[in-house]
């Protein structure tokens, strides 16, 4: 890749900085060049986020349909699966799986609920209700 | 308190951390280590396509060696002593970090990128291979030299603690490391030669077909079969994942091939061996081909693939990469061996 070909396609990085690309100058010597992004990468990244959003939407529908507890929504927002969530909570997978059932969720002890809320960085009130906004940034 | 630490932005986190930490520790008269040199001496270049290991339900493709190997190989071959620590509890890990900082030592930490608040939101995925250098603390904020970012960043203690104890695959478990002793004189020449040799061996002398240059051919074979095996929708996801692995921030472009090229160029100068210059050019050519592959894959993802972008054409690009890299690493092996 030559320096003049280093792509500058805005996308993922936004105002958060620039990444380094290695590119050659006219004499064939390597230089470090800052880049704002590259479109194939932006496409691939958008695709990954769409997959996450799809999971979040699915969770939302299931919760409204009474098949899933709100923990499922926050789990999807935080890109976790049952195994990862169980590790963060210090619980067994089967325990988390039970907490995902609406009937069991209503009976979860206060201290466990607090721990879920702290992990997802929301209040207990928010955790027990389903937020309206389609939050990609529910953690951020 | 902030340690006087020279922050140099680099493409890849581990190489950057390695180079920055070593440059901080050695005497001024010693040669400075660039990121590319760290990558080459650390035997960073690699390829592996492991369809039986899944990341987010998609097969794992890697363009570099496992996390931690670069830092370990570089320090070992330069004769630098390192203290590694892992922790079972969060307070202990944070106290140990504070103690090292108080003594004026910059400390490398492995973290989970998902929890670092200074990351762009669009890049906050769960991956536990992100290396940073903590260089100070102000109030409740840590001052961090994250080599992927243009300048030094700040991170609240609470978030750093979460990041150091991220869970999931390759959980860092609070691991931190610092350089304890550097030898009187740093000699890059033998380290470069052994780095080239080690990397070339892992590229062309692997006993299994999914690693090294054989792995590139294997990937091509699989890519060609994806549409009929998985259907259009899944193929797009698989290709998208491949682009992300190849070009994710940290590769310097072309799945680390350009960075390796830069290393070979610098090595040619240090070793005064003109035979390495054409090798660097060949790696550049391979990197350009990888980039072309990513463009084709992206057109599939966008639904704009033409005849030129068929899976068959993509396989041919990968085969061309494999051809170039096989030839290059075989020649490198004979030069360094």
């Amino acid at each position: 890749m030559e320096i003049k070909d280093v792509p500058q396609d805005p996308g993922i990085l936004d105002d958060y900085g620039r990444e380094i690309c290695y590119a050659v100058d006219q004499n064939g010597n390597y230089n470090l060049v800052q880049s704002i992004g590259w479109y194939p990468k932006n496409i691939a990244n958008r695709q990954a986020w769409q997959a996450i959003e799809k999971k979040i939407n699915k969770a939302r529908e299931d919760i409204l349909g009474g098949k899933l507890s709100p923990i499922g929504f926050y789990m999807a927002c935080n890109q976790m699966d049952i195994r990862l969530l169980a590790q963060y909570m210090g619980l067994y997978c089967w325990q988390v799986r039970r907490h995902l059932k609406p009937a069991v969720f209503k009976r979860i002890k206060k201290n466990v609920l607090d721990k879920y809320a702290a992990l997802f960085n929301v209040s207990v009130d928010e955790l027990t209700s389903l937020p309206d906004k389609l939050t990609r940034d529910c953690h951020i | 308190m902030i340690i006087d630490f020279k922050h140099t932005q680099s493409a890849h986190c581990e190489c950057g951390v390695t180079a920055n930490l070593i440059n901080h520790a050695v005497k001024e008269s010693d040669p400075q280590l660039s990121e590319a040199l760290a990558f080459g001496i650390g035997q960073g270049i690699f390829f592996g396509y492991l369809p039986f290991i899944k990341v987010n339900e998609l097969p794992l493709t890697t363009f570099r060696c496992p996390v931690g190997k670069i830092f370990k190989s570089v320090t070992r071959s330069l004769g630098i002593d390192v203290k590694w620590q892992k922790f079972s509890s969060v307070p202990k890990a944070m106290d140990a970090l504070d103690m090292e900082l108080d003594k004026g030592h910059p400390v490398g930490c492995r973290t989970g990128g998902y929890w670092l608040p200074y990351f762009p939101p669009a890049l906050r995925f769960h991956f536990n291979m992100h290396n940073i250098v903590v260089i100070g603390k102000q109030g409740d904020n840590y001052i961090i030299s994250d080599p992927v970012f243009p300048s030094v960043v700040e991170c609240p203690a609470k978030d750093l603690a979460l990041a150091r104890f991220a869970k999931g695959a390759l959980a860092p478990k609070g691991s931190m490391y610092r350089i304890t002793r550097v030898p009187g004189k740093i000699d890059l020449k033998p380290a470069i030669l052994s780095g080239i040799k080690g990397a070339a061996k892992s590229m062309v002398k692997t006993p299994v077909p999914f690693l090294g240059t054989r792995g590139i051919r294997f990937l091509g074979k699989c890519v060609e079969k994806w549409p009929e095996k998985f259907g259009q929708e899944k193929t797009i996801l698989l290709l998208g994942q491949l682009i992300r692995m190849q070009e994710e921030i940290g590769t310097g472009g072309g799945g680390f091939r350009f960075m390796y090229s830069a290393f070979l160029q610098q090595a040619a100068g240090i070793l005064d061996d003109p035979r390495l210059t054409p090798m660097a050019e060949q790696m550049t050519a391979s990197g350009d081909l990888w980039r072309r592959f990513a463009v084709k894959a992206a057109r599939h993802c966008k639904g704009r693939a033409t005849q030129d972008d068929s899976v068959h054409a993509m396989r041919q690009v990968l085969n061309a990469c494999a051809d170039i890299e096989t030839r290059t690493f075989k020649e490198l092996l004979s030069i360094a061996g």
Side-chain angles (χ1 to χ4, degrees):
Chain A
M1 184 164 56
E2 289 180 33
I3 290 178
K4 64 174 170 47
D5 298 327
V6 170
Q8 304 290 350
D9 307 327
I12 321 166
L13 281 174
D14 221 5
D15 294 333
Y16 281 83
R18 298 286 180 273
E19 61 171 315
I20 295 285
C21 275
Y22 278 75
V24 290
D25 59 18
Q26 300 117 318
N27 303 322
N29 292 323
Y30 265 95
N31 283 272
L32 274 65
V33 185
Q34 285 193 328
S35 159
I36 178 95
W38 191 36
Y39 75 92
K41 213 152 72 165
N42 291 338
I43 292 170
N45 219 54
R46 211 166 296 137
Q47 190 189 55
W49 279 107
Q50 276 163 0
I52 292 163
E53 268 161 27
K54 218 165 138 186
K55 278 188 191 158
I56 298 175
N57 283 334
K58 172 86 171 46
R60 170 185 289 280
E61 276 169 30
D62 285 351
I63 293 165
L64 293 174
K67 285 186 282 183
L68 189 74
S69 80
I71 289 175
F73 174 80
Y74 289 100
M75 185 171 88
C77 278
N78 284 276
Q79 305 166 34
M80 293 180 184
D81 55 12
I82 290 172
R83 211 168 125 203
L84 189 58
L85 179 55
Q87 282 181 7
Y88 272 111
M89 287 295 294
L91 298 170
Y92 293 108
C93 287
W94 61 265
Q95 291 176 300
V96 172
R97 215 169 280 132
R98 279 188 76 234
H99 294 161
L100 289 173
K101 292 180 183 162
V104 180
F105 179 71
K106 281 182 202 138
R107 290 183 278 131
I108 296 183
K109 288 203 185 87
K110 175 84 170 59
N111 59 344
V112 180
L113 221 47
D114 283 343
K115 208 173 168 192
Y116 272 117
L119 175 66
F120 296 140
N121 206 10
V122 292
S123 68
V124 175
D125 284 344
E126 280 173 291
L127 183 65
T128 43
S129 62
L130 185 62
D132 316 316
K133 54 174 182 175
L134 209 182
T135 39
R136 161 195 286 196
D137 54 337
C138 55
H139 172 73
I140 298 149
Chain B
M1 187 225 25
I2 303 173
I3 298 163
D4 181 22
F5 187 83
K6 191 167 166 249
H7 171 86
T8 312
Q9 191 187 8
S10 47
H12 182 228
C13 62
E14 194 180 340
C15 299
V17 163
T18 307
N20 287 346
L21 273 179
I22 291 178
N23 288 338
H24 179 82
V26 297
K27 292 187 290 292
E28 271 182 25
S29 56
D30 276 318
Q32 288 282 298
L33 202 65
S34 69
E35 179 196 18
L37 277 175
F39 182 65
I41 296 173
Q43 310 175 12
I45 194 109
F46 190 57
F47 182 83
Y49 173 62
L50 307 121
F52 40 85
I53 300 178
K54 300 278 197 270
V55 184
N56 294 327
E57 297 153 32
L58 295 166
L60 174 73
T61 314
T62 177
F63 290 81
R64 60 123 207 247
C65 65
V67 63
K69 187 180 168 187
I70 295 175
F71 186 72
K72 273 185 191 147
S73 312
V74 174
T75 48
R76 196 173 299 154
S77 59
L78 292 178
I80 295 168
D81 290 344
V82 179
K83 185 179 173 194
W84 288 83
Q85 279 175 290
K86 268 191 182 183
F87 298 91
S88 52
S89 89
V90 179
K92 266 188 203 160
M94 297 313 274
D95 286 347
L97 176 63
D98 289 347
M99 252 162 60
E100 294 292 359
L101 290 175
D102 281 342
K103 286 185 214 155
H105 302 143
V107 185
C109 288
R110 189 143 72 79
T111 56
Y114 184 77
W115 303 104
L116 295 171
Y118 59 83
F119 257 55
L123 283 174
R124 293 184 65 176
F125 298 106
H126 291 281
F127 63 99
N128 293 335
M129 293 93 79
H130 191 62
N131 287 279
I132 56 174
V133 183
V134 184
I135 56 168
K137 194 177 183 184
Q138 268 182 339
D140 213 23
N141 282 356
Y142 283 94
I143 314 296
I144 290 169
S145 156
D146 188 326
V148 178
F149 287 81
S151 47
V152 169
V153 288
E154 276 187 42
C155 176
K158 161 175 99 52
D159 295 308
L160 184 64
L162 265 171
R164 291 183 67 199
F165 282 87
K167 301 282 198 290
L170 298 170
K173 295 188 180 133
S175 61
M176 63 181 222
Y177 45 91
R178 71 173 181 87
I179 292 175
T180 50
R181 192 192 62 85
V182 286
K185 194 179 175 325
I186 296 273
D187 191 2
L188 291 177
K189 286 180 188 171
I192 288 173
L193 282 173
S194 74
I196 292 177
K197 200 170 156 187
K201 265 191 184 162
S202 65
M203 283 302 282
V204 290
K205 295 242 182 230
T206 54
V208 280
F210 44 83
L211 301 179
T213 53
R214 284 167 78 196
I216 303 176
R217 271 181 234 282
F218 176 55
L219 172 66
K221 206 167 133 188
C222 294
V223 168
E224 198 176 22
K225 284 186 193 147
W226 280 347
E228 47 179 294
K229 199 170 164 190
F230 297 116
Q232 197 57 33
E233 205 178 327
K234 179 89 188 275
T235 303
I236 287 171
L237 287 178
L238 288 161
L239 288 173
Q241 170 85 347
L242 208 50
I243 301 175
R244 285 175 59 213
M245 291 292 127
Q246 183 190 320
E247 297 293 332
E248 194 78 83
I249 295 211
T251 67
F256 291 101
R257 269 57 193 163
F258 295 138
M259 201 193 288
Y260 201 69
S261 214
F263 158 69
L264 291 174
Q265 225 168 46
Q266 292 176 21
I270 294 169
L271 296 172
D272 197 16
D273 189 340
R275 287 178 298 171
L276 289 175
T277 310
M279 300 293 116
E281 281 162 17
Q282 288 180 27
M283 281 311 283
T284 306
S286 175
D288 285 333
L289 280 174
W290 277 109
R291 299 280 279 192
R292 195 181 301 167
F293 174 78
V295 171
K296 286 185 191 300
R299 288 200 194 119
H300 275 272
C301 297
K302 267 257 160 187
R304 287 195 200 137
T306 60
Q307 198 62 41
D308 285 350
D309 309 317
S310 67
V311 280
H312 182 66
M314 288 205 281
R315 182 182 179 183
Q316 279 171 341
V317 175
L318 289 179
N319 279 345
C321 288
D323 286 341
I324 297 177
E325 292 188 19
T326 312
R327 201 170 63 231
T328 312
F329 283 107
K330 277 194 174 148
E331 286 174 50
L332 282 174
L333 203 56
S334 66
I335 292 173

